[in-house]
C-alpha cells in the first residue's frame, strides 16, 4: 500500500544535466528496498510523463503512502511551478499546458492517498525561463500547502540549487543517506536531517525547505 513514481530528466537538448539519472535511479532503488511499489522513468518526454502520472494516479487511489521524486529542470511562471520534460519547447505561455507538467497536477494525481510526499530536486537555473519576458522568476514558487501532503524542495522557493560535482546532487545525496534505514524513517525527522546536512555540505549556500504538514496523521514513516 505504498507507491512511488521516480523521474530523472537529464538529456535536455539545451542545458543537459549531469546527475538526475543517477539521482533518480538511486532513489528508486532505495524506495524499492523500503517496500514501495515504485516506477522509474528516465529522460521522460511529455507523453512519457503523462502516461506515468496516469498509472500513478490510479494506484494512489488506494495507497497508504504515495511518493514522487523528480530530478531535472523546473521553472515557475506567474507563481505556478512546472516540471520540464526532455522534449519541451514552449515558445509562449500558451504552450505551457501542452509542453510542461504542473506540480499542482502531480499532487492532484496522488488522489486519496493518506500520506502524499513530493521530493523535488528541480530548483536549478533553467534556460527555458529566458524565453518568457514576463512572469518567469528565479527558482521555484512556494507551493500550495495541504494537510496530508509534505513537499520537500532541494532549496527554498525563489532560490536555486546545485546539480553537484559528484555522482549525486547535494540534496539527493543527503536524502539517500536517510533512506538506508531498513526499519523505516519518520518522515518529518528525516526532512529535518536532510535540511541540516545540505546546509552544512554547501556551507549555507543551499537549504532544503519543506511545505505542508501531516497534522492528525501521526508519526508517518517511509
Amino acid at each position: 500500500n505504498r507507491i512511488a513514481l521516480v523521474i530523472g530528466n537529464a538529456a535536455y537538448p539545451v542545458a543537459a544535466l549531469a546527475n538526475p539519472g543517477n539521482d533518480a535511479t538511486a532513489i528508486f532503488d532505495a524506495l524499492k528496498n523500503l517496500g514501495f511499489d515504485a516506477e522509474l522513468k528516465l529522460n521522460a518526454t511529455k507523453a512519457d510523463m503523462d502516461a506515468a502520472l496516469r498509472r500513478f494516479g490510479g494506484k494512489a487511489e488506494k495507497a497508504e503512502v504515495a511518493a514522487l521524486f523528480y530530478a531535472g529542470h523546473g521553472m515557475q511562471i506567474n507563481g505556478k511551478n512546472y516540471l520540464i520534460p526532455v522534449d519541451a519547447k514552449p515558445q509562449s505561455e500558451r504552450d505551457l499546458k501542452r509542453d510542461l507538467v504542473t506540480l499542482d497536477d502531480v499532487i492532484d494525481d496522488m488522489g486519496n492517498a493518506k500520506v502524499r510526499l513530493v521530493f523535488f530536486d528541480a530548483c536549478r537555473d533553467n534556460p527555458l525561463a529566458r524565453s518568457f519576458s514576463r512572469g518567469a522568476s528565479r527558482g521555484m514558487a512556494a507551493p500550495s500547502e495541504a494537510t496530508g501532503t509534505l513537499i520537500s524542495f532541494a532549496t527554498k522557493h525563489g532560490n536555486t540549487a546545485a546539480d553537484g560535482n559528484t555522482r549525486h546532487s547535494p540534496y539527493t545525496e543527503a536524502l539517500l543517506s536517510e533512506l538506508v534505514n531498513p526499519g523505516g524513517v519518520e518522515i518529518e525527522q528525516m526532512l529535518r536531517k536532510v535540511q541540516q546536512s545540505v546546509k552544512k555540505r554547501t556551507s549555507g549556500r543551499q537549504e532544503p525547505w519543506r511545505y505542508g504538514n501531516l497534522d492528525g496523521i501521526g508519526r508517518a514513516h517511509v
Side-chain angles (χ1 to χ4, degrees):
N1 62 355
R2 297 192 295 175
I3 66 165
L5 174 60
V6 181
I7 300 172
N9 285 349
Y12 294 95
V14 177
L17 297 168
N19 284 332
N22 300 331
D23 293 343
T25 300
I27 291 291
F28 170 77
D29 290 340
L31 291 174
K32 291 283 285 185
N33 288 337
L34 287 170
F36 278 76
D37 174 10
E39 178 178 356
L40 174 65
K41 297 298 293 185
L42 298 178
N43 296 320
T45 64
K46 177 63 160 59
D48 292 335
M49 292 178 72
D50 287 344
L53 287 166
R54 190 175 300 114
R55 291 189 294 271
F56 184 57
K59 293 179 181 179
E61 289 298 322
K62 298 180 180 180
E64 183 78 9
V65 179
L68 180 130
F69 174 90
Y70 175 79
H73 278 310
M75 67 187 297
Q76 65 158 309
I77 298 289
N78 293 324
K80 180 172 283 191
N81 293 319
Y82 294 90
L83 288 65
I84 303 181
V86 294
D87 62 344
K89 297 178 181 178
Q91 300 300 312
S92 70
E93 286 191 45
R94 293 189 303 274
D95 299 328
L96 294 179
K97 64 182 178 181
R98 288 181 284 270
D99 285 19
L100 309 185
V101 176
T102 70
L103 180 59
D104 289 344
D105 286 345
V106 169
I107 295 171
D108 286 344
D109 282 336
M110 293 183 172
N112 295 321
K114 184 177 179 182
V115 175
R116 296 171 292 279
L117 307 173
V118 178
F119 303 99
F120 203 61
D121 198 357
C123 308
R124 302 159 171 89
D125 276 322
N126 171 41
L128 282 184
R130 300 170 194 150
S131 301
F132 299 89
S133 58
R134 294 179 299 173
S137 301
R138 177 181 170 88
M140 309 303 293
S144 300
E145 300 189 37
T147 299
T149 303
L150 272 182
I151 302 169
S152 176
F153 278 8
T155 193
K156 190 176 182 180
H157 58 272
N159 295 334
T160 56
D163 192 35
N165 297 318
T166 60
R167 183 171 175 80
H168 298 298
S169 75
Y171 173 76
T172 294
E173 192 170 334
L175 185 58
L176 284 168
S177 70
E178 298 301 325
L179 289 176
V180 296
N181 180 356
V185 183
E186 199 274 310
I187 297 165
E188 301 209 54
Q189 180 183 11
M190 175 189 75
L191 292 180
R192 284 192 293 271
K193 289 182 178 179
V194 168
Q195 183 179 28
Q196 294 164 0
S197 177
V198 173
K199 189 175 180 180
K200 182 177 180 180
R201 293 180 196 203
T202 63
S203 301
R205 293 186 300 273
Q206 180 178 330
E207 184 176 8
W209 212 257
R210 63 185 186 275
Y211 309 85
N213 65 78
L214 300 179
D215 290 349
I217 293 175
R219 296 174 64 83
H221 291 70
V222 293

